Amino acid sequence: MKPLKSHRLIRIADAFLPATLLIVTLLGRDAIATDLFLALMLVRLLALASSTGLRAAFALQPSMRYAQGSAAVALFAQVVGAAVALPVFGLFHSRALPLIAAGLLLNIEHVFYEYMYAEGDGNSAILSRGITAALILTGLLLSCPPGRGMADPSIYAPVYLIVTSAIAALVALAIGLSMGGSLRAKLNLQVLKIAPMSLLQAALYPGLALLLTLYSGLDVQTCAPLFAGLILYELMKTPFRRTPAEALPMNKTLRILCGVCVIALIPFVAGFKFPGDVKLLNDVPYFFGALLLAAACAFALYGNIQKKENNE
């Protein structure tokens, strides 16, 4: 049996998709970037966060045979999640089918992305996710004109997004299956057994950020701050809580970042506003707020402030 390789604590490729959504939003495609994110998250959560939970499941499994079994279960869960998500999303969105289809394809891509890391080939995973990010950037830019679609999603041309999402999933599949090793999956439900933890990790920051945006009365004009915080949150993710030694660099980074954000927010709390009505400038304080929220969520899930391990 081939043992699973170790996982690095920070994987730069985890930030590629959030960064793509942020770029697309800054380029004026706020509506379709947000809608894709909501569809992707709905499929992910209804699939019990099995696509992102694979990272923890793989870390607990002794061989690639078991990892392949977890990946097979996760792939099936994505289809079930999308089938449930479609009527739910359709209750409040006229373009539910193409958006849920794209969300399904991106979650399938994520299964193979995690599988590449499980095989120990981080370079292939980075390449695959880089291709995915480029494809989704292209699909989103082609699917909606800048500044359109906020009130009328019928302006979308989502065929571009579906095509690019499908290509991304196929590329990830091809790279994942070309890495060698026989396919001898041993079906197991480990990825579903850890679903409570996976769901919490998947939903905590995005859920809190969306709730604050929707219900607090904040005058934020785009979801760009949410995506900026999501970049930080994804980079801080680990399969399990860090050990005290592993947490030290993260703790230092988050302390510095939070200090900078708090100092930067002081003028805005005191009433400072940028002159004019430039959307991006008006959202500047919310970028700092989103980073603070992401840092708090990351520390709550992955941080550790113990000075030494408890060896008792």
Side-chain angles (χ1 to χ4, degrees):
M1 289 187 178
K2 179 180 172 184
L4 294 184
K5 306 294 181 64
S6 61
H7 295 252
R8 296 190 178 188
L9 289 178
I10 292 182
R11 307 185 311 194
I12 191 67
D14 288 352
F16 287 1
L17 274 181
T20 298
L21 294 174
L22 176 60
I23 292 169
V24 169
T25 300
L26 295 178
L27 292 176
R29 276 75 170 183
D30 312 36
I32 196 166
T34 303
D35 287 342
L36 175 62
F37 175 70
L38 293 174
L40 184 153
M41 286 302 301
L42 185 59
V43 173
R44 178 168 296 172
L45 295 178
L46 290 174
L48 302 180
S50 51
S51 60
T52 54
L54 278 173
R55 184 176 182 185
F58 288 159
L60 296 170
Q61 292 170 336
S63 72
M64 286 307 302
R65 187 181 180 191
Y66 286 88
Q68 290 167 2
S70 285
V73 171
L75 288 172
F76 178 74
Q78 305 319 305
V79 177
V80 174
V84 178
L86 181 57
V88 174
F89 203 63
L91 292 175
F92 59 91
H93 204 290
S94 62
R95 290 299 182 95
L97 180 58
L99 289 167
I100 291 296
L104 168 63
L105 289 165
L106 287 178
N107 276 294
I108 289 173
E109 183 271 348
H110 197 97
V111 170
F112 292 107
Y113 169 70
E114 294 291 351
Y115 182 76
M116 292 176 216
Y117 271 111
E119 277 277 10
D121 193 348
N123 290 332
S124 292
I126 293 171
L127 173 63
S128 175
R129 183 48 63 91
I131 293 171
T132 295
L135 287 166
I136 298 307
L137 176 66
T138 302
L140 287 171
L141 292 178
L142 292 175
S143 293
C144 185
R148 304 289 294 278
M150 295 301 290
D152 182 13
S154 65
I155 196 69
Y156 293 171
V159 63
Y160 299 107
L161 181 57
I162 293 176
V163 169
T164 53
S165 299
I167 295 172
L170 289 172
V171 168
L173 169 64
I175 294 176
L177 295 183
S178 68
M179 294 171 63
S182 58
L183 293 176
R184 297 184 300 119
K186 182 175 178 60
L187 198 63
N188 66 86
L189 301 179
Q190 181 65 45
V191 71
L192 301 182
K193 292 177 182 178
I194 62 172
M197 178 188 71
S198 302
L199 285 166
L200 179 62
Q201 292 178 344
L204 184 61
Y205 166 74
L208 289 177
L210 285 171
L211 285 174
L212 288 173
T213 301
L214 292 174
Y215 296 112
S216 65
L218 297 176
D219 189 25
V220 62
Q221 299 183 48
T222 76
C223 275
L226 182 154
F227 297 141
L230 190 62
I231 293 172
L232 174 66
Y233 184 67
E234 290 292 333
L235 286 175
M236 294 295 104
K237 274 188 174 181
T238 51
F240 311 102
R241 186 178 297 276
R242 286 169 165 83
T243 66
E246 292 170 344
L248 286 175
M250 185 187 83
N251 293 346
K252 182 177 181 180
T253 300
L254 293 182
R255 282 198 299 268
I256 294 172
L257 177 64
C258 289
V260 170
C261 289
V262 169
I263 293 171
L265 281 170
I266 291 174
F268 298 101
V269 174
F272 172 78
K273 291 184 178 181
F274 288 104
D277 190 28
V278 179
K279 181 167 64 173
L280 182 58
L281 292 180
N282 290 337
D283 286 344
V284 165
Y286 304 110
F287 278 92
F288 293 120
L291 290 173
L292 280 173
L293 178 62
C297 292
F299 182 77
L301 291 176
Y302 312 112
N304 198 324
I305 57 174
Q306 298 176 25
K307 293 184 178 179
K308 59 182 179 180
E309 298 270 11
N310 184 358
N311 295 317
E312 298 180 0

